[in-house]
Structures are given as C-alpha cells and as structure tokens.
C-alpha cells in the first residue's frame, strides 16, 4: 500500500526497539503502526514536500479530498483541494517558511456528514532547510457538539432564572387584581348588572390562566420538595383518570386504560406524578382531532424487572423530526395557546423520582413512556404485600 518514496521508514528501525527479543521483524511492526495511523478514522495525516505536493495522505485526508491515495500522491495540495471543491483548507505556504501552526479549524461535509477538524501543521527541517511539512487533522466533532449542548443548557438555565424572577413579580399584583375582581363581581351582582358581570367573569377566567402559567414557571424553576411514598402506579392513574376523561369527552377522544393490578410498588410523589400523567394525557388529546384514541397502559419493561413503565399512547399525527429534540425545552411549543412548560416540568419530576421519559413517534401516533424504578421485582409480590414490606403502600 505504501510507496517507498512517500515516507522514509528506515529511521523507524533505529528508533523503536520493538520485539527484538521475540525475533519479530521490527520493520513489520513499524509498518503495521504506520498503516494503523493512516487508516485511523479520527485522525488525519498529510505529508507535504517542499513544493506543497502531497507525499502521503491518510484515509481521513483522502476522504476530505475525495480521492484515492494513489490519485493524490505527488499532486500539489492546492490543485487537489480545488479539484475536490474544498475551499478554505487552512494550509498554506507559511509552513515552508518554517512557521508551525496549531489548532486551525476546518469543517468538512454538510448536514449529517459534517465533521469539524483541528489542524496542526509542523515544518520538517533538515540541515537548516525546510524540506517539507506534515499536517495532523484531529476530529473534534463530538467535542464541539458537547460544547453546544452545554451552551444550550446554560442558556435554558438562565431563561429559567429570569422567568422565575418575573413570575414572582407577576404573582403579587395578580393576587390583588383577583381580589378586587371578586369584590367588583359582587357589587355588580347586587345591582343586577348582568352584562358587566359577564365581563368580570371573563377577566377572572383569564386571570386564572395567567395564574396557572405563573405557577408552572415557579414549579419549573424551584420545584417543590418531592414527598416520596410507596405506592402503585395504578392507584395514581385511577385518581387522575376522571380529570383526563373530562378533557377527552370535551374533545371527542376515546380513553382506554390498560391496568396492571398486581404491578410493582414504586416510590413516588403521588401529586406530582398525577401532574405528569395529566400533562402528557392532555398533550396527547390536544394532538388528536375528534375520533382519536388515547391509551394509558402500565407494563413491565424489557430492560429490567426492577422497572415499571406507563405508556401514554395517542393516534395523533406524531412529532416532526426537527421538533423532537426540543419538546422538553422550557417554552418550546407549537400551539397557539401553549406555554411549552408541560414536558419540561414532566421531565424534571420524573428525573427526581429516579426515572426517565422515552418518546417514540411516527405518522401513526406518539408514545410517551414514563419509566420508573420499582421497590420490588415486578410480578414477585402478590396481594399479601402490605405485610411483606416495612412500609405502607398507599
Ligand atoms: P405545550 O403543550 O404547552 O405546547 P409541552 O411542553 O406540553 O407544551 O409540549 C411541547 C410540544 O411538544 C407541544 O407544543 C407539541 O408540539 C409537542 N408534543 C407534545 N406531546 C405531543 C404529542 N402527544 N403529539 C404530538 N406532539 C406533541
Ligand atoms: Mg402541554
């Protein structure tokens, strides 16, 4: 694969004293090392001569320059880059003046195939002259993605803090307005001013909306302390179901519940988990038109006997690919009247209970799965459970 004019490998014989005792041919080891470096998918190696002609190109460099190695050897770098349509490759003649460079950035490819590189260039000296140079390409795509994620979550944190401060400021005048509206309503009722009374009622219901938004923001930024008790998912769902059924009836949605009566015991904050189920149930109902079917299903998971899952399954249109990464971000909403807070609150609550939320979606509908850790292996505890565990199951 490697031609003898591209790299002088005779030096390696003196430099590495590998395997001499075992009688392994040292040049073969050096050759394998070189091959492995040249085949590496995360690091690229480019060797240039004093005319900036390519003397060696590893597979990464071949991929960037879109040519086979044999097509690149002895071709000038400028020409190879031009032919490949590669612009702004940050390698220039200053290397031949003896100036090394470190950490120059370069992006290759587009869309899903886009990769980010950092380039280090080093002149090669002999007897006071520069006889060539080598350039190393380091793949930093993952690192940059991680940095972007961190920046993103920092931004969200800041938004959350600002929102929490604002929410506090809104709550105080809101309480006063609500109080005076009630008084106003009373005197209007006394004077039988029905039209004006209707206006006041509208104001009151709009105030209620602001109030619940403010409460959501406060919950998101400063969650109440979770109070974990031993319970079964089923009992929480049963308490929450009437509220959801109301919503479903209003929207013409069918509601199914597949329970698991002997399901395992979990540690949960019942009120908070109810809120999670309600939020997700509402989202499902909102996503479907009349005639949709919402199914709430308890089940065991494939992964572990110490987990239980609740699926919230809808027959809606699914979630767009480009939205999927953002649905858990605070304030992300595709609804005119939405707050975009529901799912971020759900995630926070479920995480505090040691669980996770999974989503799978397609044109046939969406499944949100809440996975929670259990106190016992599923199916192992029967009805005699109360006596078997050192706590009450509620
Ligand atoms: P909101 O309901 O106020 O918009 P959420 O945080 O509850 O805020 O949801 C964020 C977004 O996620 C919604 O606006 C919607 O685009 C999307 N979404 C959530 N659940 C579903 C679902 N079951 N089907 C389709 N889209 C959904
Ligand atoms: Mg919602």
């Amino acid at each position: 694969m490697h031609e003898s004019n591209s790299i002088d490998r005779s030096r390696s014989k003196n430099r590495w004293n590998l395997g001499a005792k075992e009688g392994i041919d040292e040049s073969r080891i050096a050759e394998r090392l070189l091959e492995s470096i040249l085949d590496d998918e995360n690091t690229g190696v480019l060797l240039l001569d004093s005319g900036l002609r390519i003397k060696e190109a590893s597979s990464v460099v071949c991929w960037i320059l879109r040519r086979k190695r044999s097509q690149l050897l002895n071709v000038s770098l400028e020409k190879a880059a031009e032919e490949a349509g590669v612009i702004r490759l940050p390698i220039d003649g200053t290397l031949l003046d003896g100036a090394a460079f470190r950490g120059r950035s370069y992006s290759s490819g587009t869309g899903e195939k886009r990769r980010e590189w950092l380039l280090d260039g080093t002149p090669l000296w002999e007897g006071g002259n520069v006889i060539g140079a080598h350039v190393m390409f380091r793949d930093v795509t993952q690192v940059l993605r991680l940095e972007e994620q961190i920046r993103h979550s920092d931004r969200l944190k800041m938004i959350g803090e600002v929102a929490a401060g604002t929410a506090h400021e809104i709550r105080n005048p809101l309480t006063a307005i609500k109080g005076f509206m009630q008084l106003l309503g009373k005197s209007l009722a006394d004077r039988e001013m029905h039209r004006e009374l209707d206006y006041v009622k509208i104001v009151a219901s709009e105030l209620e909306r602001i109030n619940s938004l403010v409460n959501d923001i406060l919950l998101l930024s400063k969650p109440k302390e979770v109070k974990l008790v031993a319970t079964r998912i089923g009992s929480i769902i049963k308490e929450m179901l009437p509220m959801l059924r109301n919503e479903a009836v209003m929207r013409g949605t069918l509601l199914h519940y597949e329970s698991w009566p002997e399901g395992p015991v979990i540690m949960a904050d019942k009120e908070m988990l109810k809120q999670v189920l309600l939020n997700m149930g509402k989202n499902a109902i909102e996503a479907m038109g009349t005639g949709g079917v919402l199914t709430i299903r308890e089940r065991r998971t494939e992964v572990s006997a110490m987990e239980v899952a609740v699926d919230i399954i809808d027959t809606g249109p699914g979630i767009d690919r480009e939205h999927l990464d953002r649905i858990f971000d605070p304030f992300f909403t595709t609804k005119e009247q939405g707050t975009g807070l529901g799912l971020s609150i759900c995630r926070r609550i479920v995480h505090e209970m040691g669980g996770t939320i999974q989503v799978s979606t397609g044109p046939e509908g969406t499944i949100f799965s809440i996975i929670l850790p259990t106190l016992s292996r599923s199916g192992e505890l029967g009805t005699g459970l109360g006596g078997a565990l050192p706590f009450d199951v509620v």
Side-chain angles (χ1 to χ4, degrees):
M1 174 189 167
H2 307 292
E3 284 155 26
S4 53
N5 70 345
S6 47
I7 285 186
D8 177 9
R9 256 169 263 150
S10 59
R11 287 178 66 183
S12 60
K13 280 193 177 150
N14 305 332
R15 185 167 290 181
W16 296 311
N17 192 20
L18 300 168
K21 285 182 209 121
E22 291 81 10
I24 298 170
D25 182 354
E26 287 176 32
S27 65
R28 259 182 52 214
I29 296 180
E31 201 160 318
R32 290 288 165 276
L33 172 65
L34 196 61
E35 271 176 25
S36 137
I37 291 172
L38 292 178
D39 287 342
D40 196 302
E41 287 186 3
N42 299 312
T43 315
V45 182
L46 171 66
L47 183 66
L48 301 163
D49 69 7
S50 58
L52 282 186
R53 279 178 297 266
I54 298 171
K55 285 289 156 185
E56 186 59 83
S58 75
S59 41
V60 160
V61 176
C62 295
W63 179 76
I64 290 175
L65 293 175
R66 299 180 199 195
R67 288 282 183 278
K68 291 202 190 103
R69 174 174 170 276
S70 58
Q71 296 171 310
L72 290 174
L73 294 183
N74 294 317
V75 175
S76 95
L77 176 63
E78 195 180 355
K79 185 158 167 256
E82 195 183 297
E83 280 177 6
V86 168
I87 44 169
R88 287 197 279 277
L89 193 64
I91 304 172
D92 53 31
T94 53
L95 271 177
L96 301 179
D97 302 333
F101 62 78
R102 291 285 173 267
R104 287 188 183 171
S105 59
Y106 176 69
S107 319
S108 65
T110 50
E112 298 264 294
K113 288 212 174 119
R114 186 184 171 99
R115 286 172 81 174
E116 309 290 339
W117 304 95
L118 282 186
L119 275 57
D120 295 339
T122 310
L124 298 170
W125 294 87
E126 189 156 278
N129 295 317
V130 176
I131 57 162
H134 72 84
V135 181
M136 305 289 291
F137 293 60
R138 271 178 292 145
D139 185 348
V140 290
T141 315
Q142 295 301 337
V143 180
L144 290 188
R145 259 188 217 146
L146 201 65
E147 273 179 15
E148 176 50 35
Q149 276 169 12
I150 291 170
R151 265 201 298 275
H152 184 65
S153 59
D154 276 353
R155 263 202 310 271
L156 291 182
K157 198 167 147 237
M158 205 182 69
I159 293 173
E161 280 162 10
V162 172
T166 317
H168 254 300
E169 292 305 314
I170 293 174
R171 203 147 71 159
N172 295 337
L174 205 57
T175 314
I177 297 173
K178 257 166 68 180
F180 285 116
M181 275 296 145
Q182 273 165 6
L183 289 181
L184 190 59
K186 256 206 196 102
S187 27
L188 290 175
D190 289 347
R191 286 171 214 178
E192 298 191 11
M193 297 172 73
H194 298 297
R195 198 151 51 111
E196 286 77 3
L197 189 59
D198 281 347
Y199 295 156
V200 168
K201 278 183 185 155
I202 293 172
V203 174
S205 85
E206 293 295 305
L207 282 177
E208 215 31 69
R209 251 189 40 205
I210 302 177
N211 199 33
S212 92
L213 172 65
V214 164
N215 284 339
D216 273 357
I217 294 176
L218 286 174
L219 184 65
L220 183 69
S221 48
K222 264 200 240 102
K224 286 185 274 185
E225 216 178 300
V226 288
K227 287 195 219 81
L228 300 181
V229 295
T231 183
R232 285 186 210 273
I233 289 260
S235 78
I236 298 176
I237 295 179
K238 274 182 208 115
E239 285 173 32
M240 180 277 312
L241 226 45
M243 280 186 270
L244 204 55
R245 188 152 279 138
N246 243 351
E247 202 90 10
V249 168
M250 280 192 326
R251 295 257 189 166
T253 305
L254 279 178
L255 179 57
H256 287 307
Y257 171 37
E258 293 175 20
S259 70
W260 179 8
E262 295 300 305
V265 177
I266 58 167
M267 290 299 282
D269 185 313
K270 292 183 76 170
E271 286 313 309
M272 288 195 174
L273 200 52
K274 253 189 238 174
Q275 192 183 353
V276 170
L277 292 163
L278 202 58
N279 267 332
M280 290 188 173
K282 272 190 183 168
N283 276 348
I285 292 170
E286 282 160 6
M288 299 184 282
T290 310
V293 181
L294 165 61
T295 309
I296 297 186
R297 174 176 71 190
E298 291 172 60
R299 62 171 171 91
R300 54 187 91 226
T301 74
E302 304 82 42
V303 181
S304 159
M306 297 294 286
E307 280 181 353
V308 60
V310 188
D311 295 331
I312 292 103
I313 308 166
D314 68 52
T315 55
I319 303 168
D320 288 351
R321 266 211 80 79
E322 68 261 32
H323 293 160
L324 202 53
D325 284 344
R326 302 169 58 201
I327 53 171
F328 289 98
D329 289 354
F331 305 110
F332 174 80
T333 181
T334 55
K335 299 169 195 166
E336 213 158 290
Q337 300 274 346
T339 62
L341 290 174
L343 285 180
S344 50
I345 290 175
C346 289
R347 185 159 73 170
R348 181 150 201 168
I349 293 174
V350 171
H351 280 186
E352 287 197 19
M353 294 178 198
T356 54
I357 298 175
Q358 290 169 2
V359 191
S360 65
T361 186
E364 254 88 79
T366 304
I367 306 179
F368 278 84
S369 305
I370 305 166
I371 321 272
L372 290 166
T374 62
L375 279 177
S376 54
R377 298 173 73 82
S378 56
E380 280 188 359
L381 288 166
T383 33
L385 165 90
L389 292 174
F391 41 71
D392 294 331
V393 180
V394 288

